[in-house]
Amino acid sequence: MESMLKFSNYEVEETRFRKDLNATQNSDELSPTVECNIMRKKDNENEMAIRLSIEIGEDNQESSLYVFAKVVGFFEQEDEGLDLSANAVAILFPYVRSLVSDLTSKGSDDPIILPPINVNTLLEKDVD
């Protein structure tokens, strides 16, 4: 059986990592912010790009840790009558999780391992 959704490729669009060794804030106090943009081609609704980014900490000198990762995944679906964007985000999110873990694993601290997310809740939040 052939899949209704084809994951073509993904690209890392941007990463940033900063750690302040003198800061007293514990990285466990930081919570991630996830953003998702779904872009469809005007001339072909069956092709879409998903831009998924995650930010941990604040990009300022007061935060002890700052991590930002943004990837873009490229997908094709067979039936334009279906909305498979939630499936596409669910496929792409493990790549972002892995990228964050890899970025934060350098050095002597334990890497940040993000928990799985509820994709439907994420997409509902972005619509509001």
Side-chain angles (χ1 to χ4, degrees):
M1 177 177 203
E2 193 169 318
S3 174
M4 300 278 296
L5 181 66
K6 179 183 174 192
F7 177 38
S8 302
N9 191 16
Y10 83 100
E11 297 286 337
V12 176
E13 190 170 59
E14 182 179 358
T15 61
R16 286 181 265 157
F17 176 75
R18 183 185 48 74
K19 183 174 180 181
D20 182 355
L21 298 175
N22 297 318
T24 58
Q25 181 184 24
N26 188 341
S27 62
D28 293 340
E29 299 168 5
L30 303 172
S31 59
T33 302
V34 180
E35 289 188 16
C36 178
N37 300 89
I38 300 166
M39 301 160 286
R40 294 189 183 271
K41 287 189 170 184
K42 289 182 181 180
D43 60 339
N44 185 354
E45 287 286 315
N46 288 346
E47 293 183 25
M48 68 179 139
I50 307 287
R51 178 173 284 123
L52 192 57
S53 65
I54 188 157
E55 187 173 38
I56 302 169
E58 295 182 31
D59 195 11
N60 59 39
Q61 296 303 319
E62 296 171 17
S63 180
S64 64
L65 178 72
Y66 180 72
V67 180
F68 180 82
K70 184 189 308 183
V71 300
V72 179
F74 303 96
F75 298 85
E76 294 178 44
Q77 65 182 61
E78 288 199 15
D79 184 2
E80 67 182 57
L82 296 174
D83 183 7
L84 299 175
S85 55
N87 300 53
V89 173
I91 290 169
L92 190 59
F93 186 71
Y95 293 92
V96 176
R97 288 179 70 208
S98 175
L99 186 57
V100 168
S101 294
D102 188 50
L103 281 171
T104 59
S105 69
K106 309 307 181 207
S108 61
D109 289 339
D110 291 333
I112 294 174
I113 300 174
L114 298 170
I117 61 168
N118 183 324
V119 171
N120 291 323
T121 302
L122 171 68
L123 295 177
E124 288 171 8
K125 182 184 81 169
D126 277 355
V127 170
D128 294 342

